[in-house]
Amino acid sequence: MKLFLLLLSLAASFCCAFAATAEQWRGRSIYQILTDRYALPQGSNPNSCDPAQQTWCGGTWNTIRENLDYVQKAGFTAIWISPVNQNYEGPRSAYGDPYHGYWMADITKLNSRFGTADDLKALIAELHRRNMFIMTDIVVNNVMATSTTPDFSNYLFKDASMYHPYCPIQWGNETSEQECWMGDEKVPLPDVDTRNPTVIAQYGKWIQDFVQEYSIDGLRIDAAKHVQMDFWPQFCAKAGVFCMGEVFGGQDVAPIAMYQGPQALDSVLNFPMYNALVSAFAIPGPQNMTAIAEVFEDSKAKFTDLGLLGNFLENHDLPRWHSQSVDPQSMYNAMTYNFMSDGIPIVYYGQEQGFSGNADPFNREALWPSQYQETNAYQLITTLNQFRNFLVNTTDWAKQGTQILTTSQYGIAIMKGPVISVVTNIGSPPQNGTHIAVNSPYTPGFALTNILTCKQWAVGSKGRISVEYTEGGVPTILIPSNMLSGSGLCGAQLSQTAAKGGIAPPLTGDTRAPHPFEHPLTFFAFMFLILAMKC
């Protein structure tokens, strides 16, 4: 087994180029994995993982490697895994065990709970063999302790002078947020003094060695705003790879946008748009579609590069989408927006399975009870990835900016490159008489294809496209039919259109292909969920 892992690692090192740049990440899509919760070794008890217990369930780097087909088949071209570094190894804390990987001890060592150096290298080698990237989560802002007067001898920085003195954070005070300790007095997180020249030098050496030793392609940086901004350019330069920071926030763009650019990081997670999507699509909820347009326009003015932002609907710190919205179509539409607009789409493991944990630790469920089923959400993600990968690999679509074509109380239409995407917040029940009218740049009669249904569309007079919802609120993605060849999507329908000289048939019911996410039972399931929430 060890020889196999070594050969796999060596093979990948010869055939793949590492140290991926921001530009190389632009066209990727990411599947986020909490290592402990993704897959079990063979022979393990599959029924013993209770998230409420806040302890280890048994996932490892090897079990991720052994189950990569599930991720790759869905079309993802990268994974982001939870931190790989050594964590606290003492008695169980007031908040459980460090199964999540974020309670740092000595960052220069690996977390033996998840495997060996060879195991991690083998995982990364297998990813590279599949032409997939690896993004590892890192925590440099703090370590973890069980008192406010810890023994620093177990950390990389062993002298108290390399940490800020204990103080609780005063939220809204930038100095306090950067120098005081996160956590609380039960599980405090001693704040590393990242202005200390020795700390800067040692962190720089560590990250440079770490990236080179394990062939890391990108970094997701935890609690990035809790470190002074000017630390990041030199740190990421030492890493030599794409850096995406977590700058936790709300719908306000400016406090988050300031962390993207040469003065800080290549990218940040797009919290403003996440909050706008929840506001616009969650059922029940305010269904405020204008929030998307407002955040989008503000983002264009304030972010350095929208195409590098991390687009997401869930992560390990937030409620699962299904705990906020009862209607599956709300997620399908929000997810379609994330894939088809500017940015790098990120899907948190279990999102495709409809997991519904409402907060830490319940949003960190084990994936294996799902038996890795190819659910409706999984199928939609697969189609979105297949289409997006086709565009990325054959055109400059990823570099083209998104524009809003129309906004209404029921939805929004955007255009990126030649692709028009129309998403709605009306949910699963059919709504006769509800439609979204879109003025497109295409000429009347021009043939378009909806890649989600393979339905052929003919553009109406004055370039008008009208999307109706008599079958329920499904997303719509349209591309000129003559641009879809070679994508592997809608082959039979494209042949029919080509046989008619590239002219699409009129929009009538009998030309409509069955939608994989529509079913008569959807409406009744939706109503059942609504009633259940009221009970």
Side-chain angles (χ1 to χ4, degrees), residues 68-117:
L68 282 176
D69 285 350
Y70 175 77
V71 180
Q72 189 176 34
K73 186 177 179 181
F76 291 101
T77 51
I79 64 170
W80 148 20
I81 62 173
S82 48
V84 301
N85 318 92
Q86 184 190 65
N87 270 218
Y88 166 73
E89 296 180 344
R92 179 179 170 88
S93 79
Y95 302 125
D97 298 308
Y99 65 92
H100 41 70
Y102 289 89
W103 287 349
M104 289 297 108
D106 187 339
I107 200 170
T108 65
K109 299 177 182 177
L110 293 181
N111 192 329
S112 60
R113 280 275 179 177
F114 302 140
T116 66

Side-chain angles (χ1 to χ4, degrees), residues 301-379:
K302 293 174 180 173
F303 278 110
T304 302
D305 191 337
L306 294 179
L308 295 177
L309 301 182
N311 296 340
F312 64 96
L313 295 182
E314 295 182 358
N315 67 34
H316 58 290
D317 292 323
L318 297 170
R320 294 281 191 176
W321 183 270
H322 194 51
S323 75
Q324 303 184 83
S325 182
V326 300
D327 191 307
Q329 287 295 349
S330 69
M331 185 177 77
Y332 300 159
N333 279 273
M335 198 156 52
T336 296
Y337 181 91
N338 273 351
F339 272 81
M340 300 315 301
S341 61
D342 298 332
I344 302 169
I346 302 170
V347 172
Y348 180 46
Y349 85 98
Q351 180 179 321
E352 75 283 3
Q353 297 292 339
F355 286 179
S356 57
N358 64 0
D360 171 13
F362 303 102
N363 58 357
R364 301 171 179 185
E365 308 97 313
L367 183 59
W368 47 87
S370 73
Q371 299 182 333
Y372 308 93
Q373 294 181 34
E374 296 182 9
T375 63
N376 286 344
Y378 182 96
Q379 293 174 47

Side-chain angles (χ1 to χ4, degrees), residues 8 17 36 49 53 59 82 113 145 159 207 210 223 283 323 364 376 392 400 424 457 460 465 478 483 518:
L8 185 60
D36 185 66
C49 186
Q53 295 301 309
S82 48
R113 280 275 179 177
D159 193 286
I207 195 61
F210 174 68
I283 300 173
S323 75
R364 301 171 179 185
N376 286 344
V392 166
Q400 297 188 37
T424 181
W457 291 62
I465 297 169
L478 301 170
M483 296 187 67
E518 294 171 13

Side-chain angles (χ1 to χ4, degrees), residues 52 138 175 215 226 233 239 313 394 404:
I138 60 169
T175 300
S215 302
H226 293 277
L313 295 182
T394 60
I404 294 176

